[in-house]
Amino acid sequence: MSNKTLQLLRNVITYLLLTIVSLVIIGPFLWMLTTSLKDQNKIFLFPPQWIPKPIVWSNYSDVFTTQPHFLLYYANSLYIAILVTIGTCIVGALAGFSFAKLQFPLKNVFFLILLSGMMIPNEVTIIPNFIWFSKLGLVNNHFPLIIPPMLGAGGIFGVFLLRQFYITIPKDLDEAAEIDGSTPWQTFWRIMVPMAAPAFATLAIFTFLNSWEDFLDPLIYLSSDRLFTLPIAMKLFTDMAGTDWHLLMAASVMATVPLLLVFFFAQKKFIEGVATTGLK
């Protein structure tokens, strides 16, 4: 067997395996999409009906009929996720630059103490935080869903990620900027921030995803239905009579759209940040 034949055989096997793995990964999403367009009585047919007959487009409008505040819940999740993402990137950028490029006493000790905060699960601190926010009168609003994630484990991860990226940038650039008269702030804003775009994209995707899918914190802190976020709204499609699967899947498809858009616009920088560890 010639080398070209062996190479062709390897390529065929590789693409076949990749296709199988891709189908397994995308299978749940396809089931969610097709279920959102099915009649409620045809959801659990066996074998599964992958192409709905008929296609029930009204499931999407029925979501807003069943839950009149669904658009408000959508807007709540969107602005919370955007604020958390922006805040986490700002905190990570400033603190990461400080730990990577600036010199101050006990810098490594403080960084280790900061990293230890990532080891504390959110479930351990949620009750003390709830008591604290209750005494401050900050329960039943979005404040506990925005500020703590910026400064908690998610914010610490941002500091760690950006610090590690800044470290890969040669000191020659810092020294050249200093010789040209740049202040630390100018070096940070004009050199470090543009070069860290792949790290920012990576952090933004993970932060937005975690905030968008957060269920426990809104469940603990929110009691007014007009303040609910999408994960809480999804639970409203289930009651004592059962689950409206066709409506739940339609709502889930709509809830997936922002995640796809965020990854679509940030994927180039995200892949670059994962694939590279230093300068080109």
Side-chain angles (χ1 to χ4, degrees):
M1 189 177 292
S2 64
N3 291 335
K4 288 186 177 180
T5 304
L6 286 174
Q7 185 63 38
L8 179 62
L9 183 61
R10 291 194 191 97
N11 290 340
V12 170
I13 294 175
T14 300
Y15 287 121
L16 180 61
L17 291 175
L18 289 175
T19 301
I20 294 173
V21 172
S22 299
L23 289 174
V24 171
I25 293 174
I26 204 174
F29 179 79
L30 291 177
W31 189 86
M32 177 182 70
L33 183 61
T34 58
T35 302
S36 71
L37 298 171
K38 289 180 182 178
D39 183 85
Q40 188 174 12
N41 297 322
K42 296 184 178 181
I43 293 176
F44 295 108
L45 292 179
F46 187 83
Q49 189 183 68
W50 289 100
I51 301 177
K53 296 180 182 180
I55 297 178
V56 186
W57 295 104
S58 60
N59 287 343
Y60 285 86
S61 60
D62 289 344
V63 169
F64 298 94
T65 303
T66 305
Q67 296 297 332
H69 297 311
F70 185 81
L71 191 60
L72 177 62
Y73 303 150
Y74 206 101
N76 288 340
S77 285
L78 191 60
Y79 99 85
I80 289 172
I82 290 175
L83 289 180
V84 170
T85 301
I86 294 174
T88 300
C89 289
I90 292 174
V91 171
L94 293 171
F97 174 76
S98 300
F99 282 115
K101 297 298 183 178
L102 301 183
Q103 299 299 325
F104 53 89
L106 302 176
K107 180 176 73 171
N108 293 332
V109 174
F110 286 130
F111 184 66
L112 289 175
I113 294 174
L114 184 70
L115 287 183
S116 65
M118 294 180 62
M119 304 177 188
I120 304 175
N122 182 47
E123 293 77 10
V124 174
T125 60
I126 196 164
I127 293 178
N129 285 342
F130 179 81
I131 296 173
W132 182 43
F133 286 126
S134 295
K135 292 182 178 180
L136 294 176
L138 296 176
V139 173
N140 197 31
N141 63 59
H142 291 149
F143 181 88
L145 308 181
I146 297 173
I147 301 302
M150 297 180 190
L151 307 176
I156 296 172
F157 172 75
V159 175
F160 171 76
L161 178 67
L162 289 166
R163 173 189 179 270
Q164 298 306 109
F165 192 92
Y166 289 142
I167 287 177
T168 65
I169 299 176
K171 292 183 178 180
D172 295 346
L173 290 176
D174 307 359
E175 295 171 354
E178 186 177 353
I179 291 174
D180 289 340
S182 293
T183 63
W185 170 254
Q186 291 173 328
T187 301
F188 165 75
W189 184 249
R190 295 179 181 178
I191 298 177
M192 298 300 168
V193 170
M195 296 188 69
F200 280 117
T202 303
L203 179 60
I205 289 175
F206 283 118
T207 304
F208 190 93
L209 177 63
N210 290 335
S211 178
W212 186 261
E213 294 183 341
D214 187 15
F215 177 79
L216 181 60
D217 285 345
L219 182 66
I220 295 296
Y221 290 112
L222 303 180
S223 57
S224 174
D225 60 345
R226 298 190 65 85
L227 297 174
F228 285 170
T229 57
L230 270 182
I232 302 296
M234 298 298 179
K235 183 63 178 175
L236 300 178
F237 291 101
T238 300
D239 54 25
M240 295 296 291
T243 301
D244 296 324
W245 289 105
H246 57 309
L247 301 182
L248 178 60
M249 292 301 106
S252 299
V253 171
M254 289 188 281
T256 306
V257 172
L259 300 179
L260 296 177
L261 291 176
V262 168
F263 184 79
F264 176 78
F265 287 109
Q267 64 173 327
K268 183 178 179 180
K269 292 296 183 181
F270 172 73
I271 294 172
E272 183 181 343
V274 172
T276 59
T277 56
L279 296 176
K280 294 182 179 180

